Amino acid sequence: MLAQLIRAERFGEPRDAFKEEAVRIPELGPRDVLVYVMAAGVNYNNVWAAMGIPIDVIKTRMKKGEKEDFHIGGSDASGVVWATGKDVTNVKVGDEVVVHCGMWEPDDAFVLAGKDPMLGPTQRIWGYESNWGSFAQYTKVQDHMCLPKPPHLTWEEAAAYMLVGATAYRMLHGWPPNVLRPGEPLLIWGGAGGLGSMAIQIAAAAGARPVAVVSGDSKNEFC
Ligand SMILES: NC(=O)c1ccc[n+]([C@@H]2O[C@H](COP(=O)([O-])OP(=O)(O)OC[C@H]3O[C@@H](n4cnc5c(N)ncnc54)[C@H](OP(=O)(O)O)[C@@H]3O)[C@@H](O)[C@H]2O)c1
């Protein structure tokens, strides 16, 4: 498959660090899914991976025993299920999906005990702390990461919201009893950004009163 690869010898500005290369399609474990990528979203973690700071994601993974000396980033995607591992039951070949980026080991006792997987010891961010992200023809994900693609969104729209949307949602609704309630005011710093634009919509949907800070008049209409 073709992929936008980062290699350690190219660490630096993303325009230099990413290069199109042909690599093998990753093998699937029993609970893995291969998704044919229709659109990929860009996040800051891809910039960090390209620059090799604050961590060298390739070296970090190789120290844990992975063989690949390259990184395929990309933590947002929409696409079509292309193949499934033998124990996958929640999706089938041909399903149109959006991918969330939280990964953990299937046998993580913390997660199996019903605790918050984002706080578990094996939690990783797909396409940053894992290889085989969405900047390629195919991406390897875990079965639970596949969510239905909203039919009214284009592929590009569907690939844009999950990481920022889930992050903003978690901040506003994920820590009961300290959750956003109807009528409450909310200051959103950086309202025109990825997280900020999602936070405005999530707050409005909750009946709260979002107040956004932006850098200039040109951002007002967007917010
Ligand atoms: N993307 C994710 O999923 C994710 C997940 C976890 C944490 N984060 C963190 O959340 C933060 C926002 O991420 P993002 O993806 O939403 O980034 P983004 O789309 O680039 O948005 C950043 C916003 O910050 C504002 N900003 C930039 N420099 C500023 C400054 N010096 N003072 C005040 N505001 C400034 C910008 O405002 P204007 O547009 O008005 O110029 C922009 O809207 C980052 O710190 C990121 O590391 C992101």
Side-chain angles (χ1 to χ4, degrees), residues 42-45 48 76 101 162-165 167 189-197 213-216 219:
V42 178
N43 284 277
Y44 261 116
N45 63 12
W48 301 329
D76 263 315
C101 70
M162 184 57 77
L163 177 45
V164 284
T167 302
W189 199 274
L195 260 79
S197 58
V213 177
V214 294
S215 58
K219 307 278 170 108

Side-chain angles (χ1 to χ4, degrees), residues 112-125:
L112 293 176
K115 297 179 186 169
D116 182 347
M118 285 296 285
L119 304 179
T122 68
Q123 187 273 344
R124 288 176 297 154
I125 297 296

Side-chain angles (χ1 to χ4, degrees), residues 6 14 19-21 35 46 48 57 89 132 136 141 150 153 162 167 171 183-185 204 206 211 218:
I6 296 171
K19 288 270 183 301
E20 187 177 288
E21 294 188 30
V35 174
N46 310 133
W48 301 329
V57 290
T89 57
W132 311 113
V141 305
L153 297 184
M162 184 57 77
T167 302
M171 294 302 108
E184 286 182 341
V211 177
S218 63

